[in-house]
Amino acid sequence: MDVLTDLLHRARARTALVRQLVQRPPWSVAYAEAPALTVMATLGGPASIRVGREPVRLEAGDIALVTSRDYTIADDPGTAEQVTIRGNRKYLPSGEPTTEHWFLAPRTYGDGLPGAPVMLRAAYELHGEVSDRLLALLPELAVVPAGPRTGATLDLLAAEVSRDEPGQDAALNRLLDLVLVQALRAWCAESPTPPSWYRALADPGVGEALRLLHGDPAHRWTVGELAAKVGLSRAAFAARFATLVGEPPLTYLTGWRMTLAADLLRDTENPIAQVARETGYTDAFAFSVAFKRARGVSPSDWRRTVAG
C-alpha cells in the first residue's frame, strides 16, 4: 500500500457532503467552522475564493483544496457576503439566522438560470491523528489548475450530483475520491516543497520500502530485511532512505506506528497490550515507553484525554 492511499484510507476521507451551486452573479457565500478539508471546483465560469485577506481567482475547471475552517467563495472578490454557513445553519450578514434557500434539485442550489456558472463543493470530515498527516500536505488553500484528467472526472461528478438514483451516494463518493486523489497528485507534483516521502515514492528502492512499511506496520522490520526486500545493501539503503525521506527507516516506522496507536487508543477500547501488538510491539511496557517519548504522555493518559 502506498503512503497516500494509506493516509486517505485511515483518515476516512471517503464520505463527504457534496453540493453544487448554479447561480448567476452576483453571489457570495462565507463558510465558518467548516470541516477539515473542502474540495471545490468551478465549471462554466470563473469564481473567487478568499482564505484570509487575499482573494484567489478560480478559472473554469480549477480545483481548490481548502484546509482552512473559514473562507468565502464568490463570483467576484468585490461581491459582498450575502450569507454565512455555520454548521447546518445559514445566517444573514446581520447575524440573524435564515431559512431562505435556493433549492433546485437534489444537492443543487441557486437560481438555475441558463448560462449560470456551477460551483461544486464537497466537505470531508476527516478523523484522528492520521488526518493531521494528510492535512500537513497542504496549505490553507491549494489551487490545482484545470487539466484534461481532472476535467473529465469533474464532468462525471457534475452529471451525478443532481441525480437521485439507487447507489447515488456510492457513485458520488467514488468520483469525489478520484477528484481528490488527482488533485493531491497534481499539487504534490507541482509544489516547490512537496512532502519528502512523495518524492521518495518515485525511487524504486525507497518507494518499495515505504509501501512495505505501510502495508504491514506491525511487522518487526529491520533495516537489513528492508534492504534485502528492495535489492540494496544495508548501508546503501539506509543512506538513500534517510536522504530522500528525511529520517532513517526505523525512525519513520516508529513515527507512523505512534500515529496509528494514537488513533487506536482514541477509537477503540482495546487493552494497551493489544494496541501494542497491533502496532508492532510484543511488549506493552516497551510500547508505553515509545508512546510517551513520542506524545509526552502515557497511552492510558492519552486515551483519557481524547475521551474527555
Side-chain angles (χ1 to χ4, degrees):
M1 180 180 294
D2 71 78
V3 183
L4 183 56
T5 298
D6 204 11
L7 287 173
L8 288 166
H9 174 73
R10 294 182 186 273
R12 301 180 185 176
R14 288 171 289 175
T15 301
L17 182 68
V18 186
R19 296 289 183 266
Q20 67 175 346
L21 176 67
V22 185
Q23 180 71 26
R24 292 288 294 271
W27 58 268
S28 179
V29 180
Y31 290 88
E33 303 170 9
L37 176 62
T38 302
V39 181
M40 284 186 291
T42 55
L43 302 175
S48 170
I49 181 168
R50 186 174 72 248
V51 175
R53 293 187 176 183
E54 294 299 323
V56 174
R57 183 178 173 86
L58 299 177
E59 301 295 344
D62 288 353
I63 298 173
L65 304 175
V66 187
T67 61
S68 173
R69 300 282 183 161
D70 301 283
Y71 56 90
T72 300
I73 56 174
D75 68 296
D76 183 85
T79 302
E81 293 178 5
Q82 298 168 344
V83 69
T84 296
I85 309 295
R86 180 180 289 106
N88 294 320
R89 298 293 301 275
K90 186 184 301 182
Y91 298 86
L92 298 173
S94 63
E96 294 294 319
T98 176
T99 57
E100 179 186 3
H101 60 80
W102 317 305
F103 182 72
L104 296 174
R107 309 175 192 85
T108 304
Y109 298 84
D111 56 27
L113 295 177
V118 177
M119 172 68 75
L120 291 175
R121 177 181 178 271
Y124 275 108
E125 289 288 357
L126 301 182
H127 175 82
E129 295 286 300
V130 174
S131 71
D132 292 341
R133 286 202 174 207
L134 177 62
L135 294 175
L137 300 180
L138 299 165
E140 288 191 316
L141 172 62
V143 177
V144 177
R149 294 180 69 183
T150 55
T153 311
L154 286 175
D155 288 342
L156 287 172
L157 181 60
E160 288 288 334
V161 168
S162 59
R163 295 179 182 172
D164 193 13
E165 301 174 357
Q168 200 67 42
D169 287 339
L172 287 172
N173 286 327
R174 283 160 177 76
L175 285 170
L176 182 61
D177 283 348
L178 182 55
V179 171
L180 176 59
V181 171
Q182 289 176 333
L184 285 170
R185 282 176 181 168
W187 171 255
C188 289
E190 297 298 327
S191 172
T193 56
S196 55
W197 57 258
Y198 188 86
R199 293 192 302 266
L201 290 175
D203 181 87
V206 177
E208 178 60 22
L210 285 168
R211 282 185 280 273
L212 289 169
L213 294 176
H214 280 262
D216 190 2
H219 182 74
R220 300 187 71 180
W221 294 106
T222 65
V223 175
E225 183 182 9
L226 286 167
K229 290 278 189 182
V230 302
L232 293 172
S233 71
R234 186 184 187 283
F237 167 71
R240 190 159 186 80
F241 192 103
T243 298
L244 292 177
V245 179
E247 57 187 346
L250 298 189
T251 302
Y252 178 91
L253 175 60
T254 298
W256 180 236
R257 284 173 168 174
M258 293 301 101
T259 297
L260 299 180
D263 282 347
L264 284 171
L265 292 167
R266 179 200 306 267
D267 299 332
T268 73
E269 296 181 358
N270 295 346
I272 302 298
Q274 183 175 341
V275 173
R277 289 192 299 272
E278 291 180 21
T279 52
Y281 292 84
T282 56
D283 183 342
F285 177 76
F287 164 71
S288 296
V289 170
F291 190 90
K292 187 169 184 178
R293 184 183 301 119
R295 291 291 188 272
V297 295
S298 69
S300 54
D301 286 343
W302 169 269
R303 173 171 273 169
R304 281 193 293 269
T305 299
V306 297

